[in-house]
Amino acid sequence: MHLSQSTRSVSALLTRWRIFASLSSLPLPLTNSSPAAAPACAETVWIVPLLQHSWYDHVRLKRVFVADGTRHQVVLVDVRKLLMCADRDNTDYVLKPVAEWHGGKVRGIREFLDPENPRVPQMPYVTISTRRAPGVLGWLGLEREGVVAFRNGQHRARYLADAGARWFPVEVHEREAALLREICGAPDDARTAIRPVSLNTAGGV
């Protein structure tokens, strides 16, 4: 049976309408779905002032462990107390004073810590324990002293101390955080001088 011209026209229009309806049901692309439109990721850094350093007057430090659920804490420490405890470490990994380092090592640490670098250095990572203090009270078990060992960052810690840093943050396992605060913790005014700030990937604070 032959269809009339008007019937064929109606059929063609109906087919076009079905195609248009199917296309209009497809999801539209999001206008802000490109990676360039995504906001810059931010990380937290600590700004540590240097009081005796001619090259730059501060450094930036970030956490070692940043994943959610990490069992480590950041503790703001008194540099003098921390290094006093570190000098008691008997594992043969106690560094000499910065003045006795090789010139290349000093330059390397200085360039590594330079705040103009796009890469932010990690803060020192330490562990702390106690042992009997020397003398009669220690022998009787009535007095103990702290012993700090560096898992990472001993060079930067000693360089910062030599550059005039009074306090800086370190990272420690949560089970040792209270002991570290008790023995090496910085005073309250240090928390005013050194605060964590947000740093985006573009380098702005």
Side-chain angles (χ1 to χ4, degrees):
M1 180 176 65
H2 297 285
L3 298 176
S4 64
Q5 182 67 31
S6 60
T7 302
R8 287 196 296 269
S9 299
V10 171
S11 178
L13 289 174
L14 183 59
T15 301
R16 291 176 184 175
W17 180 85
R18 287 174 178 171
I19 294 174
F20 174 78
S22 64
L23 291 176
S24 63
S25 65
L26 295 175
L28 296 176
L30 297 176
T31 56
N32 293 328
S33 60
S34 64
C41 296
E43 63 180 353
T44 301
V45 300
W46 282 255
I47 308 298
V48 179
L50 303 179
L51 305 180
Q52 302 171 2
H53 197 254
S54 60
W55 297 89
Y56 39 82
D57 62 2
H58 72 279
V59 297
R60 304 174 302 169
L61 298 174
K62 66 179 181 180
R63 292 195 64 168
V64 179
F65 302 96
V66 295
D68 293 338
T70 179
R71 300 186 63 185
H72 291 78
Q73 295 182 14
V74 175
V75 175
L76 199 58
V77 297
D78 182 296
V79 175
R80 182 186 60 83
K81 294 178 181 178
L82 181 78
L83 294 184
M84 184 183 299
C85 291
D87 289 340
R88 300 181 183 130
D89 184 14
N90 58 5
T91 60
D92 297 327
Y93 189 56
V94 176
L95 296 176
K96 296 179 179 180
V98 175
E100 300 181 29
W101 292 3
H102 185 274
K105 171 58 72 175
V106 176
R107 183 174 61 255
I109 294 295
R110 183 178 68 239
E111 294 174 353
F112 174 70
L113 293 172
D114 192 331
E116 294 299 321
N117 287 339
R119 180 181 178 184
V120 179
Q122 294 177 341
M123 62 185 64
Y125 172 34
V126 303
T127 182
I128 186 170
S129 59
T130 60
R131 69 184 184 191
R132 288 184 178 182
V136 176
L137 293 179
W139 183 78
L140 294 174
L142 300 177
E143 184 178 355
R144 302 186 68 82
E145 61 184 9
V147 180
V148 166
F150 284 91
R151 298 288 184 88
N152 189 30
Q154 183 176 179
H155 281 93
R156 71 199 69 166
R158 294 188 181 275
Y159 184 90
L160 291 176
D162 188 73
R166 298 176 60 190
W167 318 292
F168 55 65
V170 300
E171 200 150 2
V172 66
H173 195 277
E174 63 181 10
R175 66 173 176 266
E176 301 173 1
L179 180 62
L180 183 63
R181 290 190 186 95
E182 176 186 346
I183 297 178
C184 303
D188 291 339
D189 54 345
R191 293 171 177 81
T192 303
I194 302 177
R195 293 181 177 179
V197 297
S198 179
L199 177 72
N200 61 40
T201 54
V205 176

